Amino acid sequence: EVQLVESGGDLVQPGRSLRLSCVASGFAFEDYAMHWVRQVPGKGLEWVSGISWNSGSIGYADSVKGRITLSRDNARNSLSLQMNSLRTEDTALYYCAKDLRYSWNLAAFEIWGQGTMVTVSS
Amino acid sequence: QSALTQPASVSGSPGQSITISCTGASSDVGSYNLVSWYQQHPGKAPKLMIYEVTKRPSGVSSRLSGSKSAHTASLTISGLQAEDEADYYCCSYAPSNTWVFGGGTKVTVL
């Protein structure tokens, strides 16, 4: 069974940092691009970042560019999102998603995890 | 990058067909055949229903179909069923190497 399990969400103060993780199972993780997509509860979806199969290409939304870093470890089937200088507007449920293809800018978000909640508040 | 425009809500009776529009710009929906659609039930993660404008992943009902004309994409659900009641989001690849979502459409089965 294809599965994505996110972790790392927490309540943090503005300006602090947080690292989200996603562990994949049930498919050849090293062959596919991966993404983070976030959703404010009760609101719509927002793409955050995507990374190609070999980390050779990474994309970021303008709203987070310069504050977050996406990385992956194919040996550990894991994806990490380092979030710095957090803002209240970063408060959301963060989903890890598997792409249909090897590059993050070619297709769609095929499989989603259940999400991890990040709350930025003083 | 502005979000794609979707109607806030669409409704239909069981057995009917409904269409959800997703309007973007010539630079996103109009430039790329990389439009996808996602279904989200309350409290659940989104599920991919259509990708690359018209393709259905394995296991997705053939009652769902996608299309695109100029800078507007559409999702049609035929033979509406109670299980189709959910939120639907469109998504497109966009300039500056980003992905942009629509605001979402709540589908109600009357």
Side-chain angles (χ1 to χ4, degrees):
Chain A
E1 179 192 6
V2 175
Q3 195 170 14
L4 299 171
V5 179
E6 304 95 334
S7 62
D10 203 351
L11 169 63
V12 296
Q13 294 180 327
R16 304 299 292 267
S17 298
L18 199 62
R19 189 176 184 88
L20 305 184
S21 296
C22 170
V23 175
S25 60
F27 66 99
F29 180 77
E30 65 275 13
D31 287 344
Y32 294 94
M34 298 292 296
H35 302 264
W36 287 95
V37 178
R38 67 186 181 184
Q39 183 174 36
V40 174
K43 301 297 183 181
L45 299 168
E46 180 187 15
W47 176 79
V48 174
S49 181
I51 185 169
S52 293
W53 66 285
N54 64 351
S55 304
S57 177
I58 303 174
Y60 298 100
D62 289 342
S63 59
V64 299
K65 200 171 293 184
R67 298 188 298 118
I68 72 164
T69 301
L70 180 59
S71 61
R72 64 187 296 162
D73 183 340
N74 287 345
R76 297 177 184 270
N77 288 358
S78 69
L79 183 72
S80 294
L81 187 70
Q82 177 65 41
M83 308 173 67
N84 301 323
S85 303
L86 282 162
R87 305 169 179 170
T88 55
E89 54 264 36
D90 294 319
T91 295
L93 183 64
Y94 284 71
Y95 290 105
C96 170
K98 169 190 174 295
D99 201 291
L100 273 168
R101 308 209 189 284
Y102 62 90
S103 182
W104 66 268
N105 53 0
L106 285 182
F109 318 114
E110 180 190 19
I111 303 294
W112 299 60
Q114 289 304 306
T116 187
M117 187 69 200
V118 173
T119 303
V120 184
S121 175
S122 54
Chain B
Q1 181 63 40
S2 300
L4 306 176
T5 300
Q6 299 181 233
S9 63
V10 173
S11 62
S13 299
Q16 286 187 329
S17 293
I18 61 168
T19 296
I20 304 169
S21 61
C22 171
T23 302
S26 56
S27 56
D28 42 54
V29 174
S31 288
Y32 304 99
N33 286 325
L34 293 177
V35 176
S36 50
W37 290 89
Y38 302 86
Q39 176 193 64
Q40 187 177 34
H41 287 109
K44 300 295 187 182
K47 176 186 177 184
L48 177 64
M49 307 303 279
I50 295 286
Y51 67 100
E52 293 174 4
V53 180
T54 61
K55 299 178 182 178
R56 274 190 313 274
S58 175
V60 170
S61 172
S62 59
R63 297 184 297 103
L64 275 74
S65 62
S67 63
K68 188 183 83 165
S69 177
H71 54 270
T72 297
S74 299
L75 174 70
T76 298
I77 306 176
S78 58
L80 199 61
Q81 299 179 2
E83 67 202 47
D84 299 325
E85 187 161 292
D87 293 327
Y88 291 80
Y89 295 91
C90 62
C91 180
S92 174
Y93 189 63
S96 301
N97 290 332
T98 61
W99 291 92
V100 62
F101 283 92
T105 298
K106 182 177 182 61
V107 170
T108 301
V109 181
L110 301 171

